[in-house]
């Protein structure tokens, strides 16, 4: 078993419950960890035998571009799409952070963390 991590995927999009968030948008950060059997690719040196992190990054960016009211909702979509498109992945841990959230205080970021196995 092995782990692939994508750290600090930065996107600008418009998630949130407030009308202002939909219009103005915000900066977001996504951290992703997946587990899969990396031994075949370690031996073969072939991309076809591993989880392509370019594909993982594309899934995150495409799903983050679809508006959701809740970060949990977009995180769940990302997890489900990873499981659907990348059969080698057995576990996903995702953190979705809203940078400078509009919550009436000096808060650097709000983060939700979700994990799922199959």
């Amino acid at each position: 078993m092995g782990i692939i991590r994508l750290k600090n995927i930065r996107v600008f999009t418009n998630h949130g419950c407030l009308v202002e968030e939909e219009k103005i948008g915000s900066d977001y950060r996504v951290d992703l960890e997946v587990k899969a059997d990396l031994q075949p690719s370690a031996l073969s040196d072939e991309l076809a035998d591993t989880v392509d992190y370019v594909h993982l990054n594309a899934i995150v960016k495409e799903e983050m571009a679809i508006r959701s009211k809740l970060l949990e909702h977009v995180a769940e979509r990302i997890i489900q799409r990873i499981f659907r498109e990348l059969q080698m992945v057995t576990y996903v841990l995702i953190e979705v952070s809203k940078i400078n959230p509009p919550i009436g205080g000096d808060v650097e970021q709000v983060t939700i963390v979700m994990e799922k196995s199959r």
Side-chain angles (χ1 to χ4, degrees), residues 35-85:
K35 291 183 180 179
D37 182 2
L38 301 181
Q39 193 59 38
S41 59
L43 296 173
S44 74
D45 197 28
E46 295 295 332
L47 182 60
D49 293 332
T50 193
V51 176
D52 184 353
Y53 52 79
V54 173
H55 192 166
L56 289 170
N57 187 58
I59 289 171
V60 168
K61 290 194 168 199
E62 289 168 13
E63 291 300 323
M64 286 296 291
I66 301 168
R67 178 168 163 66
S68 291
K69 291 184 276 185
L70 301 176
L71 298 180
E72 297 92 309
H73 187 258
V74 70
E76 180 65 20
R77 283 200 326 264
I78 292 167
I79 291 169
Q80 292 305 318
R81 187 159 164 208
I82 289 169
F83 282 151
R84 191 170 53 252
E85 295 182 18

Tab-separated table of all heavy atoms in Angstrom, residues 35-85:
chain	number	residue	atom	x	y	z
A	35	LYS	N	-4.892	6.471	-0.920
A	35	LYS	CA	-4.116	5.251	-0.740
A	35	LYS	C	-4.427	4.289	-1.876
A	35	LYS	O	-5.577	4.169	-2.304
A	35	LYS	CB	-4.438	4.595	0.607
A	35	LYS	CG	-3.947	5.397	1.790
A	35	LYS	CD	-4.213	4.685	3.093
A	35	LYS	CE	-3.718	5.518	4.264
A	35	LYS	NZ	-3.991	4.860	5.550
A	36	ALA	N	-3.386	3.628	-2.321
A	36	ALA	CA	-3.518	2.635	-3.388
A	36	ALA	C	-2.289	1.727	-3.334
A	36	ALA	O	-1.282	2.064	-2.696
A	36	ALA	CB	-3.609	3.315	-4.754
A	37	ASP	N	-2.362	0.610	-4.019
A	37	ASP	CA	-1.219	-0.288	-4.128
A	37	ASP	C	-0.258	0.301	-5.152
A	37	ASP	O	-0.530	0.289	-6.353
A	37	ASP	CB	-1.680	-1.681	-4.548
A	37	ASP	CG	-0.536	-2.677	-4.620
A	37	ASP	OD1	0.623	-2.300	-4.305
A	37	ASP	OD2	-0.798	-3.837	-4.985
A	38	LEU	N	0.862	0.837	-4.681
A	38	LEU	CA	1.843	1.469	-5.564
A	38	LEU	C	2.983	0.526	-5.955
A	38	LEU	O	3.884	0.914	-6.698
A	38	LEU	CB	2.403	2.727	-4.900
A	38	LEU	CG	1.376	3.808	-4.539
A	38	LEU	CD1	2.073	5.013	-3.918
A	38	LEU	CD2	0.538	4.214	-5.736
A	39	GLN	N	2.941	-0.704	-5.475
A	39	GLN	CA	4.000	-1.658	-5.782
A	39	GLN	C	4.107	-1.973	-7.279
A	39	GLN	O	5.219	-2.017	-7.808
A	39	GLN	CB	3.814	-2.942	-4.968
A	39	GLN	CG	5.028	-3.843	-4.985
A	39	GLN	CD	6.286	-3.176	-4.431
A	39	GLN	OE1	6.232	-2.416	-3.477
A	39	GLN	NE2	7.415	-3.459	-5.035
A	40	PRO	N	2.972	-2.177	-7.985
A	40	PRO	CA	3.110	-2.446	-9.423
A	40	PRO	C	3.852	-1.343	-10.179
A	40	PRO	O	4.728	-1.628	-10.995
A	40	PRO	CB	1.659	-2.579	-9.902
A	40	PRO	CG	0.921	-3.045	-8.688
A	40	PRO	CD	1.589	-2.334	-7.537
A	41	SER	N	3.536	-0.090	-9.888
A	41	SER	CA	4.213	1.008	-10.590
A	41	SER	C	5.651	1.180	-10.112
A	41	SER	O	6.521	1.602	-10.884
A	41	SER	CB	3.437	2.312	-10.428
A	41	SER	OG	3.302	2.660	-9.060
A	42	ALA	N	5.912	0.841	-8.845
A	42	ALA	CA	7.282	0.910	-8.344
A	42	ALA	C	8.185	-0.061	-9.105
A	42	ALA	O	9.365	0.213	-9.320
A	42	ALA	CB	7.303	0.602	-6.848
A	43	LEU	N	7.614	-1.186	-9.532
A	43	LEU	CA	8.381	-2.179	-10.283
A	43	LEU	C	8.405	-1.890	-11.779
A	43	LEU	O	9.431	-2.063	-12.432
A	43	LEU	CB	7.801	-3.574	-10.030
A	43	LEU	CG	7.894	-4.074	-8.583
A	43	LEU	CD1	7.132	-5.381	-8.414
A	43	LEU	CD2	9.341	-4.213	-8.154
A	44	SER	N	7.279	-1.433	-12.328
A	44	SER	CA	7.178	-1.269	-13.779
A	44	SER	C	7.649	0.082	-14.302
A	44	SER	O	8.024	0.195	-15.465
A	44	SER	CB	5.723	-1.474	-14.228
A	44	SER	OG	4.923	-0.347	-13.855
A	45	ASP	N	7.580	1.120	-13.467
A	45	ASP	CA	7.907	2.484	-13.878
A	45	ASP	C	6.956	2.981	-14.970
A	45	ASP	O	7.320	3.784	-15.816
A	45	ASP	CB	9.363	2.583	-14.343
A	45	ASP	CG	9.865	4.025	-14.392
A	45	ASP	OD1	9.360	4.864	-13.612
A	45	ASP	OD2	10.765	4.314	-15.216
A	46	GLU	N	5.694	2.490	-14.923
A	46	GLU	CA	4.687	2.867	-15.919
A	46	GLU	C	3.539	3.623	-15.269
A	46	GLU	O	2.996	3.184	-14.249
A	46	GLU	CB	4.138	1.618	-16.621
A	46	GLU	CG	5.150	0.868	-17.459
A	46	GLU	CD	5.655	1.663	-18.644
A	46	GLU	OE1	4.909	2.535	-19.159
A	46	GLU	OE2	6.805	1.422	-19.054
A	47	LEU	N	3.147	4.746	-15.875
A	47	LEU	CA	2.044	5.561	-15.372
A	47	LEU	C	0.740	4.771	-15.313
A	47	LEU	O	-0.066	4.954	-14.395
A	47	LEU	CB	1.862	6.811	-16.242
A	47	LEU	CG	0.785	7.794	-15.822
A	47	LEU	CD1	1.040	8.342	-14.420
A	47	LEU	CD2	0.706	8.935	-16.832
A	48	ALA	N	0.536	3.866	-16.234
A	48	ALA	CA	-0.694	3.070	-16.274
A	48	ALA	C	-0.852	2.179	-15.039
A	48	ALA	O	-1.953	1.728	-14.747
A	48	ALA	CB	-0.723	2.207	-17.531
A	49	ASP	N	0.236	1.951	-14.306
A	49	ASP	CA	0.194	1.079	-13.139
A	49	ASP	C	0.047	1.825	-11.816
A	49	ASP	O	0.214	1.243	-10.749
A	49	ASP	CB	1.473	0.226	-13.078
A	49	ASP	CG	1.558	-0.763	-14.216
A	49	ASP	OD1	0.494	-1.179	-14.720
A	49	ASP	OD2	2.689	-1.114	-14.612
A	50	THR	N	-0.262	3.113	-11.882
A	50	THR	CA	-0.371	3.906	-10.657
A	50	THR	C	-1.569	4.830	-10.715
A	50	THR	O	-2.337	4.839	-11.679
A	50	THR	CB	0.927	4.710	-10.407
A	50	THR	OG1	0.906	5.226	-9.078
A	50	THR	CG2	1.086	5.856	-11.393
A	51	VAL	N	-1.742	5.634	-9.683
A	51	VAL	CA	-2.774	6.666	-9.638
A	51	VAL	C	-2.137	7.947	-10.155
A	51	VAL	O	-1.166	8.447	-9.577
A	51	VAL	CB	-3.308	6.860	-8.201
A	51	VAL	CG1	-4.313	7.992	-8.156
A	51	VAL	CG2	-3.911	5.570	-7.675
A	52	ASP	N	-2.651	8.466	-11.231
A	52	ASP	CA	-2.108	9.662	-11.873
A	52	ASP	C	-2.508	10.902	-11.079
A	52	ASP	O	-3.681	11.253	-11.002
A	52	ASP	CB	-2.643	9.737	-13.305
A	52	ASP	CG	-2.069	10.883	-14.101
A	52	ASP	OD1	-1.346	11.728	-13.534
A	52	ASP	OD2	-2.372	10.948	-15.309
A	53	TYR	N	-1.534	11.584	-10.478
A	53	TYR	CA	-1.875	12.753	-9.674
A	53	TYR	C	-2.332	13.926	-10.520
A	53	TYR	O	-2.999	14.826	-10.021
A	53	TYR	CB	-0.748	13.141	-8.709
A	53	TYR	CG	0.630	13.303	-9.305
A	53	TYR	CD1	0.983	14.459	-9.985
A	53	TYR	CD2	1.587	12.315	-9.133
A	53	TYR	CE1	2.246	14.614	-10.506
A	53	TYR	CE2	2.859	12.466	-9.643
A	53	TYR	CZ	3.191	13.621	-10.331
A	53	TYR	OH	4.444	13.775	-10.849
A	54	VAL	N	-2.039	13.913	-11.804
A	54	VAL	CA	-2.598	14.930	-12.705
A	54	VAL	C	-4.112	14.750	-12.786
A	54	VAL	O	-4.871	15.726	-12.770
A	54	VAL	CB	-1.943	14.854	-14.105
A	54	VAL	CG1	-2.636	15.783	-15.085
A	54	VAL	CG2	-0.456	15.175	-14.011
A	55	HIS	N	-4.563	13.508	-12.841
A	55	HIS	CA	-5.992	13.196	-12.868
A	55	HIS	C	-6.640	13.629	-11.554
A	55	HIS	O	-7.737	14.217	-11.555
A	55	HIS	CB	-6.178	11.698	-13.111
A	55	HIS	CG	-7.584	11.297	-13.434
A	55	HIS	ND1	-7.896	10.075	-13.952
A	55	HIS	CD2	-8.770	11.930	-13.297
A	55	HIS	CE1	-9.203	9.983	-14.123
A	55	HIS	NE2	-9.755	11.104	-13.717
A	56	LEU	N	-5.985	13.347	-10.421
A	56	LEU	CA	-6.523	13.769	-9.116
A	56	LEU	C	-6.688	15.288	-9.068
A	56	LEU	O	-7.722	15.800	-8.642
A	56	LEU	CB	-5.590	13.319	-7.986
A	56	LEU	CG	-5.546	11.832	-7.676
A	56	LEU	CD1	-4.400	11.532	-6.718
A	56	LEU	CD2	-6.871	11.359	-7.096
A	57	ASN	N	-5.675	16.017	-9.497
A	57	ASN	CA	-5.727	17.476	-9.495
A	57	ASN	C	-6.861	17.986	-10.381
A	57	ASN	O	-7.579	18.922	-10.003
A	57	ASN	CB	-4.380	18.046	-9.943
A	57	ASN	CG	-4.313	19.545	-9.808
A	57	ASN	OD1	-4.490	20.094	-8.727
A	57	ASN	ND2	-4.047	20.209	-10.908
A	58	ALA	N	-7.041	17.372	-11.538
A	58	ALA	CA	-8.116	17.782	-12.447
A	58	ALA	C	-9.485	17.557	-11.818
A	58	ALA	O	-10.372	18.416	-11.922
A	58	ALA	CB	-8.007	17.015	-13.767
A	59	ILE	N	-9.675	16.432	-11.140
A	59	ILE	CA	-10.945	16.167	-10.461
A	59	ILE	C	-11.224	17.246	-9.433
A	59	ILE	O	-12.329	17.802	-9.373
A	59	ILE	CB	-10.947	14.766	-9.808
A	59	ILE	CG1	-11.003	13.678	-10.875
A	59	ILE	CG2	-12.120	14.625	-8.821
A	59	ILE	CD1	-10.784	12.263	-10.345
A	60	VAL	N	-10.231	17.560	-8.609
A	60	VAL	CA	-10.414	18.586	-7.574
A	60	VAL	C	-10.792	19.918	-8.212
A	60	VAL	O	-11.777	20.557	-7.814
A	60	VAL	CB	-9.147	18.733	-6.708
A	60	VAL	CG1	-9.226	19.980	-5.830
A	60	VAL	CG2	-8.933	17.488	-5.860
A	61	LYS	N	-10.058	20.352	-9.203
A	61	LYS	CA	-10.324	21.660	-9.816
A	61	LYS	C	-11.695	21.702	-10.496
A	61	LYS	O	-12.415	22.690	-10.375
A	61	LYS	CB	-9.209	22.027	-10.785
A	61	LYS	CG	-7.925	22.350	-10.053
A	61	LYS	CD	-6.931	23.024	-10.933
A	61	LYS	CE	-5.809	23.560	-10.043
A	61	LYS	NZ	-5.042	24.577	-10.682
A	62	GLU	N	-12.062	20.637	-11.188
A	62	GLU	CA	-13.364	20.609	-11.871
A	62	GLU	C	-14.515	20.611	-10.870
A	62	GLU	O	-15.506	21.319	-11.057
A	62	GLU	CB	-13.445	19.388	-12.789
A	62	GLU	CG	-12.558	19.513	-14.002
A	62	GLU	CD	-12.398	18.209	-14.766
A	62	GLU	OE1	-13.160	17.240	-14.507
A	62	GLU	OE2	-11.489	18.148	-15.621
A	63	GLU	N	-14.408	19.828	-9.817
A	63	GLU	CA	-15.488	19.769	-8.831
A	63	GLU	C	-15.552	21.044	-7.992
A	63	GLU	O	-16.639	21.490	-7.620
A	63	GLU	CB	-15.344	18.542	-7.933
A	63	GLU	CG	-15.585	17.233	-8.650
A	63	GLU	CD	-16.967	17.106	-9.262
A	63	GLU	OE1	-17.950	17.581	-8.661
A	63	GLU	OE2	-17.080	16.521	-10.357
A	64	MET	N	-14.422	21.652	-7.701
A	64	MET	CA	-14.420	22.913	-6.956
A	64	MET	C	-15.054	24.032	-7.772
A	64	MET	O	-15.565	25.001	-7.218
A	64	MET	CB	-12.994	23.300	-6.548
A	64	MET	CG	-12.414	22.466	-5.423
A	64	MET	SD	-13.277	22.634	-3.847
A	64	MET	CE	-12.848	24.315	-3.383
A	65	ALA	N	-15.053	23.911	-9.081
A	65	ALA	CA	-15.645	24.937	-9.946
A	65	ALA	C	-17.171	24.882	-9.949
A	65	ALA	O	-17.824	25.827	-10.411
A	65	ALA	CB	-15.112	24.785	-11.367
A	66	ILE	N	-17.756	23.800	-9.436
A	66	ILE	CA	-19.215	23.658	-9.375
A	66	ILE	C	-19.677	24.173	-8.020
A	66	ILE	O	-19.297	23.651	-6.981
A	66	ILE	CB	-19.633	22.183	-9.562
A	66	ILE	CG1	-19.139	21.656	-10.906
A	66	ILE	CG2	-21.151	22.046	-9.423
A	66	ILE	CD1	-19.258	20.150	-11.042
A	67	ARG	N	-20.508	25.198	-8.034
A	67	ARG	CA	-20.935	25.849	-6.798
A	67	ARG	C	-21.680	24.896	-5.856
A	67	ARG	O	-22.536	24.133	-6.265
A	67	ARG	CB	-21.844	27.033	-7.123
A	67	ARG	CG	-22.367	27.731	-5.875
A	67	ARG	CD	-23.018	29.050	-6.185
A	67	ARG	NE	-23.852	29.522	-5.106
A	67	ARG	CZ	-23.428	29.897	-3.903
A	67	ARG	NH1	-22.149	29.856	-3.616
A	67	ARG	NH2	-24.267	30.325	-2.988
A	68	SER	N	-21.316	24.981	-4.584
A	68	SER	CA	-22.017	24.286	-3.501
A	68	SER	C	-22.204	25.267	-2.364
A	68	SER	O	-21.381	26.162	-2.162
A	68	SER	CB	-21.194	23.096	-2.986
A	68	SER	OG	-21.126	22.065	-3.932
A	69	LYS	N	-23.270	25.098	-1.607
A	69	LYS	CA	-23.458	25.920	-0.421
A	69	LYS	C	-22.511	25.497	0.685
A	69	LYS	O	-22.016	26.333	1.437
A	69	LYS	CB	-24.913	25.850	0.068
A	69	LYS	CG	-25.900	26.529	-0.873
A	69	LYS	CD	-27.286	26.518	-0.307
A	69	LYS	CE	-27.925	25.185	-0.650
A	69	LYS	NZ	-29.335	25.093	-0.259
A	70	LEU	N	-22.255	24.187	0.786
A	70	LEU	CA	-21.453	23.655	1.879
A	70	LEU	C	-20.177	22.996	1.371
A	70	LEU	O	-20.186	22.278	0.360
A	70	LEU	CB	-22.260	22.627	2.675
A	70	LEU	CG	-23.562	23.120	3.293
A	70	LEU	CD1	-24.287	21.970	3.973
A	70	LEU	CD2	-23.296	24.253	4.277
A	71	LEU	N	-19.091	23.202	2.109
A	71	LEU	CA	-17.828	22.575	1.753
A	71	LEU	C	-17.921	21.059	1.815
A	71	LEU	O	-17.275	20.353	1.046
A	71	LEU	CB	-16.715	23.081	2.682
A	71	LEU	CG	-16.415	24.578	2.625
A	71	LEU	CD1	-15.299	24.929	3.597
A	71	LEU	CD2	-16.089	25.025	1.218
A	72	GLU	N	-18.746	20.556	2.735
A	72	GLU	CA	-18.926	19.108	2.855
A	72	GLU	C	-19.466	18.512	1.560
A	72	GLU	O	-19.094	17.404	1.162
A	72	GLU	CB	-19.899	18.765	3.984
A	72	GLU	CG	-19.442	19.187	5.353
A	72	GLU	CD	-19.931	20.579	5.766
A	72	GLU	OE1	-19.757	21.544	4.986
A	72	GLU	OE2	-20.470	20.689	6.874
A	73	HIS	N	-20.344	19.243	0.917
A	73	HIS	CA	-20.962	18.757	-0.316
A	73	HIS	C	-19.933	18.643	-1.434
A	73	HIS	O	-19.868	17.622	-2.137
A	73	HIS	CB	-22.112	19.689	-0.721
A	73	HIS	CG	-22.902	19.188	-1.869
A	73	HIS	ND1	-22.747	19.686	-3.132
A	73	HIS	CD2	-23.843	18.223	-1.947
A	73	HIS	CE1	-23.567	19.048	-3.949
A	73	HIS	NE2	-24.237	18.151	-3.259
A	74	VAL	N	-19.125	19.660	-1.614
A	74	VAL	CA	-18.112	19.599	-2.664
A	74	VAL	C	-17.061	18.536	-2.342
A	74	VAL	O	-16.608	17.811	-3.236
A	74	VAL	CB	-17.477	20.981	-2.937
A	74	VAL	CG1	-16.594	21.453	-1.816
A	74	VAL	CG2	-16.713	20.975	-4.242
A	75	ALA	N	-16.700	18.377	-1.076
A	75	ALA	CA	-15.735	17.339	-0.695
A	75	ALA	C	-16.281	15.950	-1.009
A	75	ALA	O	-15.552	15.087	-1.513
A	75	ALA	CB	-15.390	17.463	0.785
A	76	GLU	N	-17.546	15.720	-0.716
A	76	GLU	CA	-18.159	14.418	-1.007
A	76	GLU	C	-18.184	14.146	-2.504
A	76	GLU	O	-17.933	13.013	-2.940
A	76	GLU	CB	-19.573	14.353	-0.422
A	76	GLU	CG	-20.288	13.044	-0.665
A	76	GLU	CD	-19.660	11.845	0.022
A	76	GLU	OE1	-18.897	12.006	0.998
A	76	GLU	OE2	-19.936	10.710	-0.423
A	77	ARG	N	-18.473	15.162	-3.301
A	77	ARG	CA	-18.450	14.990	-4.763
A	77	ARG	C	-17.054	14.590	-5.237
A	77	ARG	O	-16.906	13.727	-6.108
A	77	ARG	CB	-18.894	16.274	-5.473
A	77	ARG	CG	-20.359	16.523	-5.465
A	77	ARG	CD	-20.804	17.503	-6.561
A	77	ARG	NE	-19.836	18.535	-6.854
A	77	ARG	CZ	-19.843	19.775	-6.329
A	77	ARG	NH1	-20.767	20.125	-5.467
A	77	ARG	NH2	-18.928	20.650	-6.673
A	78	ILE	N	-16.035	15.227	-4.682
A	78	ILE	CA	-14.659	14.907	-5.068
A	78	ILE	C	-14.332	13.455	-4.702
A	78	ILE	O	-13.792	12.705	-5.522
A	78	ILE	CB	-13.667	15.885	-4.414
A	78	ILE	CG1	-13.840	17.286	-5.014
A	78	ILE	CG2	-12.225	15.402	-4.587
A	78	ILE	CD1	-13.135	18.400	-4.246
A	79	ILE	N	-14.680	13.051	-3.492
A	79	ILE	CA	-14.423	11.672	-3.053
A	79	ILE	C	-15.117	10.672	-3.971
A	79	ILE	O	-14.501	9.706	-4.441
A	79	ILE	CB	-14.880	11.472	-1.594
A	79	ILE	CG1	-13.987	12.262	-0.634
A	79	ILE	CG2	-14.884	9.983	-1.228
A	79	ILE	CD1	-14.520	12.326	0.788
A	80	GLN	N	-16.391	10.890	-4.240
A	80	GLN	CA	-17.145	9.949	-5.072
A	80	GLN	C	-16.588	9.871	-6.487
A	80	GLN	O	-16.523	8.787	-7.084
A	80	GLN	CB	-18.633	10.336	-5.088
A	80	GLN	CG	-19.331	10.143	-3.765
A	80	GLN	CD	-19.181	8.724	-3.229
A	80	GLN	OE1	-19.283	7.748	-3.953
A	80	GLN	NE2	-18.933	8.622	-1.923
A	81	ARG	N	-16.175	11.004	-7.010
A	81	ARG	CA	-15.628	10.991	-8.371
A	81	ARG	C	-14.285	10.269	-8.414
A	81	ARG	O	-13.997	9.526	-9.362
A	81	ARG	CB	-15.496	12.429	-8.879
A	81	ARG	CG	-15.093	12.461	-10.316
A	81	ARG	CD	-15.424	13.740	-11.002
A	81	ARG	NE	-14.671	13.788	-12.236
A	81	ARG	CZ	-14.292	14.900	-12.827
A	81	ARG	NH1	-14.643	16.075	-12.321
A	81	ARG	NH2	-13.597	14.862	-13.932
A	82	ILE	N	-13.453	10.454	-7.395
A	82	ILE	CA	-12.176	9.736	-7.338
A	82	ILE	C	-12.427	8.233	-7.321
A	82	ILE	O	-11.809	7.479	-8.083
A	82	ILE	CB	-11.343	10.180	-6.120
A	82	ILE	CG1	-10.814	11.603	-6.340
A	82	ILE	CG2	-10.189	9.205	-5.859
A	82	ILE	CD1	-10.206	12.238	-5.113
A	83	PHE	N	-13.350	7.785	-6.472
A	83	PHE	CA	-13.649	6.351	-6.417
A	83	PHE	C	-14.222	5.840	-7.745
A	83	PHE	O	-13.924	4.724	-8.166
A	83	PHE	CB	-14.616	6.045	-5.274
A	83	PHE	CG	-13.977	6.012	-3.915
A	83	PHE	CD1	-14.701	6.345	-2.800
A	83	PHE	CD2	-12.648	5.649	-3.738
A	83	PHE	CE1	-14.126	6.309	-1.529
A	83	PHE	CE2	-12.057	5.609	-2.486
A	83	PHE	CZ	-12.805	5.944	-1.370
A	84	ARG	N	-15.016	6.658	-8.404
A	84	ARG	CA	-15.637	6.242	-9.664
A	84	ARG	C	-14.604	6.153	-10.797
A	84	ARG	O	-14.637	5.229	-11.609
A	84	ARG	CB	-16.753	7.233	-10.016
A	84	ARG	CG	-17.651	6.809	-11.144
A	84	ARG	CD	-18.882	7.696	-11.309
A	84	ARG	NE	-18.593	9.117	-11.413
A	84	ARG	CZ	-18.837	10.035	-10.455
A	84	ARG	NH1	-19.380	9.673	-9.312
A	84	ARG	NH2	-18.554	11.297	-10.634
A	85	GLU	N	-13.680	7.097	-10.848
A	85	GLU	CA	-12.763	7.189	-11.984
A	85	GLU	C	-11.413	6.510	-11.775
A	85	GLU	O	-10.728	6.202	-12.752
A	85	GLU	CB	-12.536	8.663	-12.352
A	85	GLU	CG	-13.798	9.332	-12.860
A	85	GLU	CD	-13.589	10.776	-13.275
A	85	GLU	OE1	-12.426	11.196	-13.494
A	85	GLU	OE2	-14.601	11.489	-13.382
